[in-house]
Amino acid sequence: MSEQYPDTPRSTYWRKQLSAWRTSGQSQQGFCKQQGLSYAQFQYWRRKLTASTTEEEPPARSGFVTVRHRPMEDAGGLTLVLPNGAELRGIHADNLSVVESLLRLTA
C-alpha cells in the first residue's frame, strides 16, 4: 500500500484489515463492529497507510442523496409561520401530506 510507512507487525496487521474491509463491501463502522476493531484506530491506520497511495477507496455510502434546489419565484399558496419562526411556504392541496409530516416532526 504505502511506500512511506515501513513494514512492521502492526502496520502489516492493519494493511490486512484495510484490505479485508475494501473487499467486504461494508461501511467502515460496520466492518469494525463485526471484526471487533476500534473504529478510531481503524481511521488512524487508514489515514496513515493510505496517505501516499493513489488507490481509490470505494465511495462512502452515507444513505444521503444529492438534492438540487431550484429557486422558485413566488409559487403562491399558503405560508405557515411556526412559533419558532420557521416558515413553510407554497402550501397547496397537493402537498398537504408533506406539510402534515413536517408539522408532526416539529411537535
Side-chain angles (χ1 to χ4, degrees):
M1 277 186 158
S2 171
E3 295 163 11
Q4 286 186 338
Y5 195 80
D7 279 331
T8 64
R10 185 171 286 175
S11 67
T12 300
Y13 169 81
W14 282 104
R15 280 187 177 97
K16 288 179 183 177
Q17 295 301 321
L18 291 168
S19 178
W21 161 68
R22 284 188 185 96
T23 59
S24 74
Q26 293 179 302
S27 68
Q28 294 173 14
Q29 287 183 331
F31 178 80
C32 290
K33 186 174 182 178
Q34 182 187 45
Q35 298 299 318
L37 301 172
S38 162
Y39 180 65
Q41 286 184 352
F42 181 89
Q43 287 295 311
Y44 170 82
W45 283 99
R46 185 182 64 82
R47 282 190 300 273
K48 188 171 198 123
L49 296 174
T50 60
S52 66
T53 183
T54 58
E55 181 180 326
E56 289 188 28
E57 296 179 10
R61 290 186 256 159
S62 68
F64 291 99
V65 296
T66 302
V67 176
R68 301 201 192 294
H69 172 70
R70 288 184 301 154
M72 294 175 47
E73 295 187 23
D74 185 16
L78 297 175
T79 298
L80 177 64
V81 180
L82 302 176
N84 65 2
E87 294 183 12
L88 296 174
R89 296 181 184 186
I91 301 172
H92 295 280
D94 60 336
N95 65 6
L96 284 178
S97 62
V98 174
V99 173
E100 183 180 19
S101 297
L102 290 171
L103 290 174
R104 274 196 227 115
L105 290 173
T106 62

